[in-house]
Amino acid sequence: LAETSGPVTQSSGGLSWAVHLHSPEGEWEEENLARQANAVAQAAGLVNAGRIGELQGHFLFVQPAGHREAAEAEAMRQQAEAVLAEHAAVRWHSEQRLLKRAKR
Amino acid sequence: SIHFNDPKFPQQWHLNNRRSPGRDINVTGVWERNVTGRGVTVVVVDDGVEHTIQDIAPNYCPEGSYDLNSNDPDPMPHPDTENGNHHGTRCAGEIAAVPNNSFCAVGVAYGSRIAGIRVLDGPLTDSMEAVAFNKHYQINDIYSCSWGPDDDGKTVDGPHQLGKAALQHGVMAGRQGFGSIFVVASGNGGQHNDNCNYDGYANSIYTVTIGAVDEEGRMPFYAEECASMLAVTFSGGDKMLRSIVTTDWDLQKGTGCTEGHTGTSAAAPLAAGMIALMLQVRPCLTWRDVQHIIVFTATQYEDRRADWLTNEAGFSHSHQHGFGLLNAWRLVNAAKIWTSVPYLASYVSPVLKENKAIPQSPRSLEVLWNVSRMDLDMSGLKTLEHVAVTVSISHPRRGSLELTLFCPSGMMSLIGAPRSMDSDPNGFNDWTFSTVRCWGERARGIYRLVVRDVGDEPLQVGVLQRWQLTLYGSVWSPIDIRDRQRLLEGAMSGKYLHDGFALPCPPGLKIPEEDGYVLTPNTLKMLVLVGCFTVFWTVYYMLELYLSQRNMASSPGCRSGPCHWPPQSRRPREEGTELESVPLCNSKAADSTEMENGGPSRTSERRTPDLLHEGDWSLAQNKRALDGPHQHPPPDLLQGKEDQIC
């Protein structure tokens, strides 16, 4: 629960993808986008963890909780990659990796 | 005339240098005129801010803060094994340490509010960084970031897609539409020949890139050169020179005060503090106004090693010091009279496919692109601000490459400096370099990109595959720029720096922060707990009710006829509530109560229904158990029920 409260800031340590959806025109954009995000996440076997900060149309999809063998996780990664790459609603997606940042 | 009782204020040479007059940020005159950053919020994006410390607490802004590492609203730093998470607190102290509290030090903008976003103390991803850059962006005016990719002289990195989108969103929608101000440190890779054009945060057009100089005004050993550096301010130098005195955390070995803050980390917050002073006198400055004022007011000064070059617009820039030293007096007086620059105009060339070999030094590959008047008609772009070049180059040792850009005026910018440590064999793949050295110059004309291979490989091995030129600027003409320069010089006397003078300032847009009501994990956990507790007791109570009903149905008194109920009001009641409302006190108690009330008891009937049998007795027992220690004598089930419970 803690991980998915409100707009997401961090995945729970598993695989995660940042996804930018095509924005449907018209009313209730936010609603449509959220619904669509859930559908795309589900299709990719992931969980929609919410919008990324203030960036409209940008969502974080995370791996459903639970421990997996490496092989299974890899299979899941490939499946998710394939679905997100093909999905018509996805404008852009990128698997989240740890950034190396240093204090100056 | 400024006197603070803060014990370390006299050592804060960067604020007021008594030992070498002039070697400071020239801020006391601004303070004397009550310009202290009031009404402005600066957020330190770092490893946390110990906001409980005396020097910070009064200025702390919880509404602008957040902890992205723990996902809760409190950015308090967490002590770690290396005693390392004091960085953010030190930066915060430089900006807004409270004066005259007899504690430690004073901040540049000691009247401003300081917030913290804790993001560096744990795994960091693009999405977290994007959240950080826009967190509470209608409350936080300035984001001070004293961090970046490794300064190891071989890293080429910066904000990725999400981070770039967040920076762009911040300058478009942040701060009521005037644009968040992102201040970044240029980097500490000096010893590794690093250059901040290999750092996408430093060479972004959306950030104010600040370098460091020591107390003698020289480029310290750790500082990096960079064509996209806007300006420098003070920080520590080598061992013989003083570092920055600021507030410190008091966790672990911390004492709440330090005299050892240094690096470009210490310079960026000072710049953020000075920008806060500017925003107090003129809140409606846009993110580009702030950059322009820095360019127009930073001061060139004598430094033999600095390659100062004056461009066609009269601005002097050096790869070591940017447009020069930040000067709080000049910045604030310029801000006071500044009217907004025209909208940002840009021009993007086609992708220029070259696929040309890069010869070994001293020969070089030169490619040109002519930007014609017609090319610029659409955007109206006349004079330059940032010039960016995106290149793709293959080369087995990336650090051997040197890229130089010449603007139409002939102004040279070393945008890709050779790096002896960088042996990466992958070359550049659409990496964007930028320069600010042509600021204010005419945009039209021929741009020349010169690529050299300064490595010692025998054969020429590098290939320039493609490049693209992007110009950012405005419709300002060179004359407009000269006029503005004159106007500013006329304000440097301070004659406008009083409350009686104020140019009109639009209020900005009401932009709702998108993130809805966010339940913090603690709140969520509490709700879950309460929910579980409620469910448990409901189930228990239903069970209790059911069992007592069942017992009642099976007890003899009821089997042989209607149950004797105490005379109650005739109103029909639901079955269940009778039991709930049945008093557990016996008739005597009830009688005595009535006697106290003066009225004879109308009935001697037992007020306690004869349902206190085995099962119900447990109810009585429970009642007694709840009543605690004073235990009634164990009731005899058959006799004297009225002596039972009360």
Side-chain angles (χ1 to χ4, degrees), chain B residues 274-340:
Chain B
M274 287 187 252
I275 295 170
L277 302 175
M278 293 162 68
L279 293 184
Q280 174 187 331
V281 301
R282 197 133 175 80
C284 57
L285 291 176
T286 67
W287 64 282
R288 285 181 46 244
D289 290 330
V290 169
Q291 292 191 17
H292 272 83
I293 292 173
I294 288 172
V295 171
F296 278 67
T297 62
T299 49
Q300 176 189 358
Y301 61 94
E302 190 38 47
D303 175 1
R304 279 182 302 285
R305 281 174 287 177
D307 61 347
W308 293 105
L309 212 51
T310 302
N311 72 15
E312 188 183 66
F315 295 117
S316 301
H317 186 279
S318 103
H319 288 95
Q320 290 91 353
H321 304 318
F323 287 101
L325 258 181
L326 290 178
N327 179 312
W329 176 262
R330 290 175 62 82
L331 287 167
V332 172
N333 278 290
K336 185 77 177 178
I337 63 157
W338 189 269
T339 49
S340 239

Side-chain angles (χ1 to χ4, degrees), chain B residues 198-236:
Chain B
Y198 295 106
D199 168 353
Y201 301 93
N203 76 8
S204 164
I205 69 167
Y206 302 123
T207 62
V208 175
T209 304
I210 297 298
V213 289
D214 59 28
E215 187 175 358
E216 291 173 353
R218 291 210 177 79
M219 185 173 158
F221 66 90
Y222 55 78
E224 296 178 13
E225 299 196 4
C226 190
S228 59
M229 189 189 310
L230 268 189
V232 291
T233 189
F234 292 103
S235 182

Side-chain angles (χ1 to χ4, degrees), chain A residues 1-2 5 7-10 18 30 51-55 58 60 92 96-104, chain B residues 47 68 85 124 126-128 131 146-151 157-158 161-162 185 188 199 201 264-265 514-515 519:
Chain A
L1 276 171
S5 64
V8 183
T9 59
Q10 66 199 32
E30 202 57 42
R51 192 188 54 255
I52 296 174
E54 303 296 338
L55 298 179
H58 292 75
L60 187 70
W92 164 86
Q96 293 297 281
R97 299 186 187 285
L98 294 187
L99 300 176
K100 204 155 175 281
R101 296 294 177 256
K103 302 170 194 172
R104 291 177 161 170
Chain B
D47 56 13
L68 292 174
N85 285 327
L124 175 62
D126 288 332
S127 55
M128 287 174 70
V131 173
S146 289
W147 49 270
D150 271 347
D151 296 322
D157 198 3
Q161 188 98 358
L162 278 179
N188 294 348
D199 168 353
Y201 301 93
T264 49
S265 277
E514 294 278 310
D515 54 0
L519 289 177

Side-chain angles (χ1 to χ4, degrees), chain A residues 45-89:
Chain A
L46 302 170
V47 173
N48 173 22
R51 192 188 54 255
I52 296 174
E54 303 296 338
L55 298 179
Q56 199 179 48
H58 292 75
F59 293 88
L60 187 70
F61 294 169
V62 299
Q63 209 176 16
H67 179 70
R68 276 171 201 81
E69 294 308 316
E72 190 190 344
E74 184 50 32
M76 175 167 238
R77 174 206 300 266
Q78 298 198 6
Q79 185 220 344
E81 239 344 293
V83 169
L84 294 176
E86 297 306 314
H87 205 289

Side-chain angles (χ1 to χ4, degrees), chain B residues 564-569 578 581-594 601-612 641-642:
Chain B
H564 295 285
W565 292 94
Q568 300 287 338
S569 64
E578 296 294 323
S581 60
V582 165
L584 286 174
C585 294
N586 62 22
S587 55
K588 187 180 289 180
D591 287 353
S592 64
T593 307
E594 276 165 10
S601 73
R602 277 174 294 106
T603 163
S604 61
E605 273 180 48
R606 259 190 308 265
R607 287 192 54 83
T608 309
D610 57 358
L611 37 79
L612 272 181
K641 285 194 180 10
E642 52 276 4

